[in-house]
Amino acid sequence: VENVLSYARLENGRRAAPPEATALRDLVARVQPRLAARVEQAGMELVIGPDGPWEQRALADADVVEQILFNLVDNACKYAASAADKRIEIRADRAKDGALLRVGDHGPGIAARESRRIFEPFHKSARDAAHSAPGVGLGLALSRRLARRLGGDLRLVSRPGEGACFEVRLPLAP
């Protein structure tokens, strides 16, 4: 429901809160209890990478980043639940044009033919629909739009069969 309402607000052109300079560590720490509860509910383990440029500051709306990270972790809980390795990992990294947060799992990954469509609103693969993964296929489309509204992006950076890894790029704070 939260995703549907957020998507409707985006479609109606509602303005988001102005971004603030915030360390990646603080963005993740804010949502960590909610993520940990969701991961525990799925019988999985949340791992926040100890290394990385966590002090790097990004321009972001913390509420928006929280929603993006929750959507990514929630998807990992749904689609990697049968994996032998139950870890869902969040890591920080740098790019020349932004601060990066990567969310990855060790599940089956996303087939190449599906990777082109996963960011379309209301898209679910035939496999996902057949296996009754909860949701309407809106989380990734919404998350990408939210990231882009912040001046960043969301993209799939993994290869099929290697689990799923998504990269959230946020603009660097001056």
Side-chain angles (χ1 to χ4, degrees):
V1 173
E2 180 181 341
N3 282 344
V4 173
L5 293 174
S6 292
Y7 192 81
R9 283 192 292 274
L10 273 176
E11 288 296 302
N12 288 330
R14 291 207 185 144
R15 300 288 306 161
E20 296 180 5
T22 310
L24 293 179
R25 176 182 323 285
D26 296 336
L27 289 170
V28 173
R30 173 188 164 127
V31 70
Q32 188 171 355
R34 186 174 174 212
L35 298 178
R38 174 63 182 107
V39 168
E40 183 179 328
Q41 176 189 36
M44 300 182 82
E45 176 188 0
L46 182 64
V47 176
I48 308 295
D51 54 346
W54 289 104
E55 73 290 342
Q56 189 171 209
R57 294 170 61 79
L59 279 177
D61 174 339
D63 291 336
V64 170
V65 174
E66 179 175 347
Q67 187 168 8
I68 293 168
L69 292 177
F70 186 82
N71 280 333
L72 295 174
V73 168
D74 185 55
N75 278 352
C77 289
K78 293 175 196 175
Y79 300 114
S82 62
D85 186 339
K86 301 286 189 190
R87 291 176 298 149
I88 298 172
E89 301 173 63
I90 300 178
R91 300 201 178 277
D93 206 350
R94 284 186 168 89
K96 67 178 181 175
D97 60 345
L100 304 176
L101 289 171
R102 290 194 178 103
V103 178
D105 64 51
H106 299 276
I110 298 169
R113 68 183 176 283
E114 291 296 324
S115 66
R116 292 182 291 275
R117 299 187 59 212
I118 59 172
F119 294 105
E120 294 175 8
F122 305 106
H123 173 72
K124 288 182 77 167
S125 71
R127 178 183 61 85
D128 297 338
H131 290 95
S132 301
V136 296
L138 194 55
L140 289 176
L142 172 64
S143 294
R144 177 177 262 181
R145 285 185 181 197
L146 289 170
R148 287 179 173 176
R149 184 177 237 186
L150 291 173
D153 204 1
L154 171 65
R155 62 190 190 111
L156 176 68
V157 293
S158 56
R159 293 187 300 233
E162 295 182 352
C165 183
F166 290 89
E167 181 178 271
V168 181
R169 183 180 46 82
L170 300 168
L172 292 171

